[in-house]
Amino acid sequence: MYEVFQKYLEEKSTLTPQESERVASFAIIKKLRKRQYLLQEGDIWKYDAFITQGCLRTYSVDEKGSEHINSFSIENWWTGDRESLMFQQPSRFNIDAIEDSELVLFTHENFELLCREIPAFNNMVNTILQRSFIAAQNRIQGSLTLTAEEKYLNFINKYPAFASRIPQTMIASYLGMTPETLSRIRKQTAKK
């Protein structure tokens, strides 16, 4: 499992063998079964988490019991609640496994230590954060300006691996539409 993260580090940064060993020394391996929580609403998030296998979702539940999916995360992606982590406040989100998953966790204290000690690691993290910010901006813009059909087409074009791994009801929640609307859109796009 750690080998997946090691390969990711080799592709995204230029760590020396000693720096790679230092990073590995802080890694915590975590396995989740399908539907098992990584984080529950009300808990404080304390890690930086990299997915080596599987698929997770980050979501909230409103007062009526409806789920609102904020994001999905798959292999070679990071997940967590940055707000809870940075401000050490109870999370508004749940993160659970859509399928059996494996992760590499770092306590945030150790992750920050690695960023201070290893410039190449810090540069990689900054690049990841910038890309995450851009992705969040694009998601907000799309949710404000795209039609329901455009949202769906954008989703399957941008994330083709998700369409076969994630239940349609979850995709509908992520796109901000009912499962019935998504089903109608899928039928219409299949005819085109």
Side-chain angles (χ1 to χ4, degrees):
M1 176 186 330
Y2 187 81
E3 297 75 28
V4 173
F5 182 64
Q6 182 63 41
K7 183 178 178 192
Y8 175 86
L9 286 177
E10 290 167 2
E11 292 172 358
K12 303 288 184 187
S13 65
T14 55
L15 302 181
T16 67
Q18 296 80 13
E19 290 169 336
S20 291
E21 286 178 24
R22 180 78 169 142
V23 172
S25 72
F26 288 116
I28 302 165
I29 305 303
K30 175 84 173 170
K31 292 184 178 187
L32 296 175
R33 292 178 314 278
K34 183 176 181 177
R35 295 187 188 90
Q36 186 176 357
Y37 286 101
L38 178 64
L39 173 68
Q40 287 187 275
E41 179 182 355
D43 293 343
I44 296 174
W45 181 241
K46 299 178 180 174
Y47 301 97
D48 289 271
F50 179 84
I51 302 166
T52 58
Q53 178 184 324
C55 182
L56 288 85
R57 66 179 173 148
T58 301
Y59 66 99
S60 62
V61 180
D62 66 22
E63 61 280 346
K64 295 177 184 175
S66 298
E67 291 181 1
H68 302 279
I69 297 177
N70 187 45
S71 65
F72 298 110
S73 306
I74 59 171
E75 295 87 3
N76 293 323
W77 288 28
W78 295 84
T79 191
D81 180 349
R82 299 291 306 168
E83 181 180 35
S84 178
L85 182 69
M86 299 309 296
F87 299 110
Q88 287 298 287
Q89 65 188 28
S91 180
R92 297 177 290 142
F93 300 104
N94 297 292
I95 302 174
D96 68 6
I98 295 173
E99 51 192 47
D100 290 348
S101 301
E102 297 177 352
L103 299 95
V104 176
L105 304 176
F106 298 90
T107 64
H108 191 59
E109 295 79 20
N110 287 340
F111 196 80
E112 289 292 310
L113 178 65
L114 290 170
C115 286
R116 285 191 305 272
E117 288 182 356
I118 306 171
F121 189 82
N122 189 55
N123 291 340
M124 178 194 74
V125 170
N126 284 333
T127 299
I128 292 164
L129 291 173
Q130 290 170 6
R131 288 184 177 160
S132 295
F133 182 77
I134 292 167
Q137 281 183 314
N138 290 338
R139 178 155 155 68
I140 292 167
Q141 182 66 22
S143 70
L144 296 173
T145 61
L146 299 177
T147 66
E149 183 177 342
E150 290 169 334
K151 287 179 191 178
Y152 174 69
L153 292 173
N154 186 47
F155 177 79
I156 61 170
N157 288 329
K158 194 168 189 172
Y159 307 110
F162 288 0
S164 62
R165 295 173 74 174
I166 298 172
Q168 295 301 307
T169 55
M170 290 184 188
I171 292 173
S173 173
Y174 175 79
L175 295 174
M177 60 183 74
T178 65
E180 295 78 18
T181 299
L182 179 59
S183 179
R184 180 178 43 78
I185 290 168
R186 291 180 70 221
K187 285 177 187 173
Q188 289 172 349
T189 57
K191 291 177 184 177
K192 292 182 181 178

